[in-house]
Every structure is written in C-alpha cells, then in structure tokens.
Amino acid sequence: MILFRRFLPHLWSMAFRPFFLASAIHAVASILLWILILLFGFTSPFSVGGVQIHSYEMVFGFARATIIGFLFTAGQYWTKTVLIKEKQLFFMFLLWLVGRVGFLSFGYIGTVAIVLDMFCDLMVLYHLIPALFKEGQERNRIIAITYFIFFLLHVLTAISFLNVLPVFWSLHFVHLSIFLVLIFVIIIAGRILPFFTSVAVPNSNPNKVQALENTIQYLGFLFLFIESLLYWTPDIKPLAASFSILFGIANLVRWKMWEPWKSRSIPILWILHLSYFWLVLGFFAYGFSHLEIMQVSSALHIFTTGGIGVFIYGMITRVSLGHTGRPIRASKLIIVGYISINLAVLARVFFPLINLNREGYLLSAIFWILSFALFLMQYTNILIQPRVDFRSEPRN
C-alpha cells in the first residue's frame, strides 16, 4: 500500500493515467530504436527480425497500452463500476511492461516475459468480460469479444516468433491484429465522434443511422475474415480488393454524416475526424494494394500511422484532459503535435511512392517522435497529478 499512498498515488487511480503515459513513452522509444536499426546500422537487440518486432511492438506495445487505458476508463462509465484501480492496475501495467522485453535476446528470461505479457491480456479479459456481459451491457459485449480475438492473435503471433508455428506466419498475424485495432477505432469513433461534435460545434447535426452503424461494425469482422483467408488462398485477392474499397465507401458515407468539416476550428475534435479520414483512405489504398496499384507498405501505414496513430494521439490528448477535470482545449504545443503526427503520415506514405524511402522513413520518425515528445512535455504532470476540480476519482 505504501507504493500507492506515497509514490505517485494518483497515477494508479484510473487506467488511462499509467497506460497513456507509457504508450507515449513507448511511441518515442520504439520508433527511435527502429530508425537506428533500419537506417543507421544499429545492432538489433531482438531475437526476431527488425520488421517483425517493429510491427509487433507498435501493435501489442503502443496500441494495446492505449486500448487498455481507454477501455478501463470508459468501461467504468458504461458499467457504473470501477473495474480496476491501484494494486490490480499496477499489476496489470507491470505485466504489460515486462512483456516489452520479451523478444530481447534473454533466452528463457525472455520467454517468461512473453508468457507474462499474455497474462496481461488474460487479466484484461478477467475484468472486462464479467462486467460487459452483465444484463444491460448488451451494447458493450462486442468490446470484450473483440479484445478476446485480439488476445488470440497476440498468442498466435508470439508462438510463431518462437517457432511453435512457422515464423513466416507472424507478419500475417500482426496484420490481422492491425485490422482488429481498426475495428476498435471504428466502434469507438462511432460512439464518440457524433456526440462530441453535437456538444462542441454550434449548429451541427451529426447523423447516426443505426442500421449503417451496425452494418459497418459487422462488416469490419467480415473484412478481418476475408483478410485471414487471403494468406492461404491468394486467388481471392480480387474479392478482398473489392470488399476493402466498398468498406471504404461505407465508412466515407458514415464520416460525412458526422459533418466533420464543422469542427475545423476545434483542433482537439478535428484531429479525431481527420484520423477517421485516414482510416477511410486506408481501406481504399489497401484495396488498391491487392490489385498491385499501391504499395502494400504505404497502404498499411495509412492505417497504422494515420488511422490508428492519429486517432490514438487525438484520444489521449482529449481523454487526459476531460478525466482530470481540465478544459478540453488543445494547447499551442499540442496543436503543433497534431500537425507533426499528420506530417509523419504524409512522409511515411507518400515519399516511398516517389522512391524516397530513406527520406520518408527518417522524416516520418522525426515528426512522430516530435509529436509524442510534445505530449509528454504537456501531459506528464497532468497524468500523475490529482484532478484540478478536486473531485475524487470514481469509486465502487
């Protein structure tokens, strides 16, 4: 108990605090290390290939930390119950943290770290499933189901790295995990963006058609299923391409119904709408990549750096303010961060299309690191200090 009462006690009061802070630190450190390995000949400390570990860590390190932080923060408002805090939250965070050294060249110690990282997911499910499967939580059950699939893909990825399954399957599992993170974005964006827009933008009338919302949600899982088959049945590429493009059209219609252009004067809201545009563009680009019109790597990074990275950046800047009792308004430095992370997308996606691969990788990394460094400068104290409105954190 001394740990929670004396050393950063507020950090462990709600899940978004440690996990958002850690995801930002991870975003800086992992991309810095990746660029040193990729472009400057730095010897990799990992036991698996550079592309594999880079992809793995951005999904199961960076993105997963943000997902956990958000789900356990939003979940207590969905269920009117505090799902996790203090000692249990610290233990869950420690499992995630130990997992980050799992594929370093530590032999059996690394294997133990990987297993502990899987226990982090099991702990997430242990707390989420009972809460989200209670009566009255029918709408939220899809969240627990999605995380369970995410956990299965995490296991498959890890054991393929360990050669229990063929190691060349690992990137396929990582790509499927990326698509599952996109499903999280699709679900969460559909819940918050119309509401945020209606509250923050005068004279706005974002429209939600429930039939379209339900269709898009389940089409996301169909997209995942088709892509899972594609690796072993490449002859369905035309089907996969067509479906990805049509799914992009459906999401574009959804996005336009939210009237995103009306939020341009509110950067902390506009950034979330812009991230969803990257997601839409990603489905078009990924469909074209199946037709060999677009580079697969560039298409994937529209999804990852744009649709996921920009959305996460927008969410952690907003949620961290709202849940600590501060005005939901982006500072000038964070607006620079918004610009910087979108420049990271542009550099990573479009420079390689004109054969400026090295320049694109380097510039994208610089802009990405800058954006999250600015977040850490502005938000570290916010995340470790008490609410400024003197309200107590939610309790059971």
Side-chain angles (χ1 to χ4, degrees):
M1 291 300 295
I2 293 176
L3 175 67
F4 307 108
R5 290 175 179 170
R6 291 181 121 181
F7 301 106
L8 302 178
H10 300 288
L11 184 65
W12 310 107
S13 61
M14 291 183 72
F16 76 90
R17 290 175 176 271
F19 279 106
F20 285 6
L21 186 60
S23 71
I25 294 170
H26 186 285
V28 172
S30 59
I31 292 300
L32 177 61
L33 179 58
W34 170 232
I35 286 300
L36 289 174
I37 293 170
L38 181 67
L39 299 183
F40 297 100
F42 188 83
T43 301
S44 174
F46 298 103
S47 59
V48 295
V51 173
Q52 284 90 342
I53 197 64
H54 166 63
S55 304
Y56 177 89
E57 278 301 315
M58 295 313 292
V59 174
F60 298 111
F62 167 69
R64 184 169 60 128
T66 313
I67 290 169
I68 294 171
F70 176 80
L71 291 185
F72 280 99
T73 301
Q76 68 186 22
Y77 292 95
W78 298 337
T79 63
K80 305 295 188 293
T81 305
V82 177
L83 302 180
I84 192 169
K85 65 184 300 185
E86 295 179 346
K87 288 188 288 185
Q88 290 180 321
L89 175 57
F90 174 77
F91 184 60
M92 179 186 289
F93 176 79
L94 187 62
L95 291 173
W96 173 88
L97 185 63
V98 169
R100 307 288 52 82
V101 303
F103 289 103
L104 292 173
S105 300
F106 289 162
Y108 289 114
I109 295 175
T111 303
V112 170
I114 296 165
V115 172
L116 292 176
D117 201 22
M118 301 301 138
F119 272 100
C120 176
D121 283 336
L122 289 173
M123 192 172 178
V124 170
L125 292 168
Y126 174 80
H127 288 282
L128 275 185
I129 289 176
L132 300 187
F133 272 79
K134 288 180 179 178
E135 185 178 353
Q137 292 296 317
E138 291 79 8
R139 178 171 178 259
N140 295 318
R141 289 172 186 169
I142 191 68
I143 298 292
I145 293 169
T146 303
Y147 199 94
F148 178 72
I149 301 170
F150 189 60
F151 163 63
L152 293 180
L153 286 170
H154 189 186
V155 172
L156 290 172
T157 305
I159 64 177
S160 65
F161 281 165
L162 296 171
N163 288 309
V164 177
L165 292 175
V167 69
F168 51 85
W169 287 3
S170 60
L171 275 181
H172 179 58
F173 295 137
V174 171
H175 291 166
L176 294 179
S177 303
I178 290 170
F179 301 145
L180 208 55
V181 176
L182 291 172
I183 291 173
F184 273 118
V185 172
I186 287 169
I187 294 171
I188 299 303
R191 297 185 177 196
I192 64 172
L193 286 186
F195 172 71
F196 288 169
T197 303
S198 66
V199 170
V201 181
N203 302 317
S204 65
N205 186 31
N207 192 14
K208 282 183 67 172
V209 177
Q210 197 57 48
L212 178 62
E213 294 295 306
N214 294 339
T215 299
I216 284 178
Q217 181 172 284
Y218 293 109
L219 284 179
F221 289 98
L222 183 55
F223 173 80
L224 180 72
F225 178 70
I226 292 172
E227 291 296 327
S228 69
L229 295 178
L230 187 60
Y231 188 81
W232 291 280
T233 55
D235 54 317
I236 66 168
K237 267 193 175 184
L239 170 64
S242 300
F243 189 85
S244 185
I245 293 168
L246 289 173
F247 195 37
I249 293 171
N251 278 282
L252 178 62
V253 171
R254 184 196 204 200
W255 181 71
K256 289 187 68 176
M257 291 175 66
W258 295 340
E259 300 183 337
W261 56 89
K262 292 186 177 180
S263 67
R264 291 195 307 272
S265 62
I266 308 173
I268 204 164
L269 176 57
W270 170 241
I271 189 68
L272 294 172
H273 283 295
L274 186 56
S275 72
Y276 206 85
F277 176 75
W278 283 121
L279 180 144
V280 169
L281 189 61
F283 283 114
F284 288 119
Y286 198 66
F288 292 145
S289 74
H290 285 323
L291 300 174
E292 300 183 356
I293 299 172
M294 179 87 176
Q295 292 181 9
V296 176
S297 178
S298 287
L300 278 171
H301 280 84
I302 296 176
F303 278 145
T304 55
T305 315
I308 296 172
V310 177
F311 186 79
I312 283 175
Y313 196 77
M315 285 298 295
I316 64 177
T317 57
R318 183 186 182 94
V319 171
S320 299
L321 294 176
H323 287 280
T324 57
R326 290 168 170 81
I328 302 175
R329 183 173 57 250
S331 68
K332 291 180 180 178
L333 275 182
I334 290 302
I335 292 173
V336 173
Y338 292 158
I339 295 169
S340 182
I341 196 168
N342 280 283
L343 289 175
V345 185
L346 291 170
R348 179 58 186 84
V349 170
F350 294 106
F351 273 51
L353 298 180
I354 54 174
N355 295 318
L356 294 174
N357 295 61
R358 185 183 179 90
E359 294 83 353
Y361 300 156
L362 182 59
L363 278 175
S364 181
I366 290 170
F367 286 129
W368 176 275
I369 290 170
L370 173 62
S371 64
F372 282 97
L374 291 173
F375 174 86
L376 289 168
M377 288 171 57
Q378 289 272 289
Y379 280 81
T380 297
N381 282 338
I382 291 172
L383 291 170
I384 66 176
Q385 292 178 349
R387 293 178 64 102
V388 295
D389 56 6
F390 301 107
R391 287 171 52 191
S392 62
E393 303 284 7
R395 297 179 181 275
N396 279 316

